[in-house]
């Protein structure tokens, strides 16, 4: 079992930056791939970024590539999402997820553990 808690969300103007954090507790954090997903009102949860267990492999949605950076620190049991050049369409609740199964980074159904989410609002 892994417990996840996101933090770092807030209100920011378009073009600004935010850094989201995901703190993990429970079983060995390094055993899990980590992903960030987001959900806007009336829309389905969508993939944003993911990172493999060692941190060597990263994956991004086309919509955030070049603007967002995912990272992790296994010694601190934490994952991060650095978001830059934010746009109003980035407004959503952001969730971090953890999965033990390999592959399928983009599929939220494969993530067994989720945090409660943190709101990110980008004003124009």
């Amino acid at each position: 079992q892994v417990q996840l808690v996101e933090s770092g969300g807030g209100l920011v103007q378009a073009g600004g930056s935010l850094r989201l954090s995901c703190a993990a507790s429970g079983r060995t954090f390094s055993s899990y791939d980590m992903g960030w997903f987001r959900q806007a009102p009336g829309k389905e949860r969508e993939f944003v970024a993911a990172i493999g267990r060692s941190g060597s492999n990263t994956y991004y949605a086309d919509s955030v590539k070049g603007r967002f950076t995912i990272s992790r620190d296994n010694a601190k049991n934490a994952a991060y999402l650095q978001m830059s050049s934010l746009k109003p369409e980035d407004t959503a609740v952001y969730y971090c997820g953890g999965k033990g199964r390999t592959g399928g980074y983009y599929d939220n159904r494969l993530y067994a553990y989720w945090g409660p989410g943190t709101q990110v609002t980008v004003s124009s």
Side-chain angles (χ1 to χ4, degrees):
Q1 191 84 6
V2 174
Q3 292 79 41
L4 304 173
V5 178
E6 304 92 341
S7 62
L11 174 64
V12 63
Q13 288 189 331
S17 299
L18 281 175
R19 187 191 193 211
L20 304 184
S21 298
C22 176
S25 62
R27 286 189 175 180
T28 306
F29 177 70
S30 58
S31 299
Y32 296 89
D33 301 321
M34 298 300 295
W36 286 95
F37 289 75
R38 65 188 181 188
Q39 188 165 16
K43 295 187 177 181
E44 294 186 353
R45 189 171 297 192
E46 66 172 358
F47 171 78
V48 175
I51 188 166
R53 298 162 199 206
S54 69
S56 297
N57 299 318
T58 57
Y59 310 85
Y60 296 94
D62 288 342
S63 59
V64 307
K65 204 169 291 184
R67 300 188 298 123
F68 291 10
T69 302
I70 189 171
S71 61
R72 67 188 295 163
D73 186 336
N74 287 342
K76 294 183 178 180
N77 284 1
Y80 308 97
L81 186 68
Q82 177 67 48
M83 306 186 295
S84 302
S85 301
L86 283 161
K87 305 175 182 179
E89 50 264 43
D90 294 319
T91 295
V93 177
Y94 283 70
Y95 299 91
C96 71
K99 66 177 183 69
R101 297 176 60 177
T102 57
Y105 295 97
Y106 308 92
D107 189 347
N108 62 11
R109 296 170 297 178
L110 299 182
Y111 287 76
Y113 306 105
W114 293 97
T118 185
Q119 176 71 47
V120 171
T121 302
V122 183
S123 62
S124 57

